[in-house]
Amino acid sequence: MQWFEEWFDTPYYHILYSNRDYREAENFLNLLTGFLKLEKKSSIIDLACGKGRHSIYLNKLGYKVLGLDLSEQSISYDKKFENESLEFRVHDMRNRIESEPVDAVFNLFTSFGYFETEEEDKSVFRSVSEVLKSKGYFVLDFLNAEYVKNVITPSASVEKENIIFNIKKHIEGDYILKEIDFEDQGKPYHFFERVKLTSPEKILKFADEFGFELIKRWGDYQLNDFDGKSSQRCINLFRKR
Ligand SMILES: C[S@@+](CC[C@H](N)C(=O)[O-])C[C@H]1O[C@@H](n2cnc3c(N)ncnc32)[C@H](O)[C@@H]1O
């Protein structure tokens, strides 16, 4: 089993990141949908939707949303929020998406870079391109590899729900590796996250190969312009040609 199939499906992943910033996410979506001028009732796929924080809010804004994620645990949680215009499904983003063509696909909060081969990375662009309408938007919200390399904090401890998570980060080849160790009820656990430090140029190359043009690149969730050195995020807005 690959790390991303296991770790994201555990309760510990959700405990460790329980302080995810919902307000920042909603503010980001307000700015993003405002910029895109997407009409209400437009259809959006939230690819790698996790516990559905973006999907649910986009649906509240009036969009028809399909949230997809590999984690069965997350999707079974998300399903409680379903309605006529909000659906969740277990799906591996490397595979073809069964759906009517949609107006936009969002891949948010570093839900890319998990795979070993370039073929797998490309398969994400392929499946997004296939499911988008012509002129449809693809938003890929990824980390800024250059920034991450420069500001890496090697170790930290975080206490959540009486569990002390010891976290160590380091760069290994093309990847940033985050090792997560903790004990729960006397039992030791070890997990890791491994994200390929894909450069903005490489992302653009993949996008171009699958028929996307780059419309805009932002550097944070307030939609400030991207700066290669100082931006924390690399938020790419692509449009299908
Ligand atoms: C960093 S989380 C972000 C979740 C969500 N977008 C958010 O912002 O809350 C990454 C998500 O990617 C999902 N994921 C990992 N590999 C996947 C794959 N191959 N296909 C679909 N989803 C995947 C995980 O289950 C996890 O929910």
Side-chain angles (χ1 to χ4, degrees):
M1 200 186 240
Q2 303 266 14
W3 72 266
F4 53 86
E5 293 171 283
E6 194 183 0
W7 168 235
F8 291 123
D9 209 38
T10 70
Y12 298 114
Y13 161 72
H14 295 289
I15 293 173
L16 176 59
Y17 296 114
S18 55
N19 59 343
R20 288 249 155 104
D21 195 334
Y22 277 65
R23 193 176 298 163
E24 185 183 54
E26 292 181 2
N27 186 48
F28 167 57
L29 292 177
N30 289 337
L31 294 172
L32 180 63
T33 52
F35 184 91
L36 297 179
K37 297 191 176 68
L38 280 177
E39 283 174 30
K40 299 291 160 198
K41 300 229 163 75
S42 296
S43 48
I44 301 176
I45 290 179
D46 181 8
L47 190 59
C49 61
K51 281 206 156 170
R53 59 187 179 138
H54 298 104
S55 302
I56 293 165
Y57 186 66
L58 285 166
N59 182 244
K60 279 193 188 137
L61 291 178
Y63 300 110
K64 182 173 187 280
V65 180
L66 171 62
L68 301 171
D69 200 283
L70 187 61
S71 163
E72 290 185 8
Q73 297 299 328
S74 291
I75 292 297
S76 82
Y77 170 89
D78 294 338
K79 279 197 164 289
K80 293 189 269 227
F81 300 91
E82 283 188 335
N83 62 46
E84 255 180 23
S85 57
L86 176 62
E87 187 195 342
F88 291 99
R89 245 188 265 154
V90 174
H91 175 81
D92 188 323
M93 66 174 114
R94 289 168 291 183
N95 298 337
R96 208 174 160 274
I97 301 169
E98 295 292 332
S99 159
E100 296 281 300
V102 295
D103 298 292
V105 176
F106 295 170
N107 176 286
L108 305 177
F109 214 67
T110 321
S111 301
F112 181 73
Y114 303 156
F115 311 125
E116 291 197 1
T117 66
E118 211 165 282
E119 265 321 297
E120 289 168 290
D121 290 339
K122 285 185 185 182
S123 64
V124 178
F125 284 83
R126 180 180 299 112
S127 61
V128 172
S129 178
E130 281 172 0
V131 81
L132 272 177
K133 292 180 187 167
S134 153
K135 304 287 175 206
Y137 290 113
F138 176 31
V139 176
L140 180 62
D141 160 29
F142 194 56
L143 49 76
N144 178 12
E146 196 58 35
Y147 177 84
V148 166
K149 279 185 213 158
N150 290 333
V151 299
I152 189 166
T153 40
S155 63
S157 283
V158 182
E159 188 173 344
K160 290 274 173 70
E161 296 188 21
N162 297 325
I163 300 175
I164 298 170
F165 293 92
N166 294 306
I167 299 170
K168 285 196 197 127
K169 288 185 195 168
H170 65 272
I171 308 276
E172 204 176 87
D174 289 340
Y175 292 84
I176 177 156
L177 208 79
K178 187 168 176 181
E179 307 217 50
I180 302 151
D181 289 278
F182 56 91
E183 271 189 16
D184 186 28
Q185 301 186 1
K187 200 172 163 216
Y189 290 88
H190 172 80
F191 291 99
F192 66 89
E193 293 174 14
R194 205 179 67 128
V195 177
K196 203 186 285 171
L197 290 168
T198 315
S199 68
E201 295 74 29
K202 190 65 171 258
I203 289 174
L204 189 55
K205 204 165 155 269
F206 289 151
D208 183 58
E209 187 176 335
F210 291 95
F212 292 102
E213 63 172 321
L214 181 67
I215 303 288
K216 188 89 192 117
R217 200 171 251 163
W218 297 289
D220 57 35
Y221 292 123
Q222 289 75 50
L223 301 196
N224 289 305
D225 284 345
F226 176 74
D227 175 81
K229 280 211 163 34
S230 62
S231 295
Q232 299 194 13
R233 308 293 307 163
C234 175
I235 305 172
N236 304 272
L237 170 62
F238 296 113
R239 191 191 293 165
K240 188 169 154 177
R241 286 197 186 93

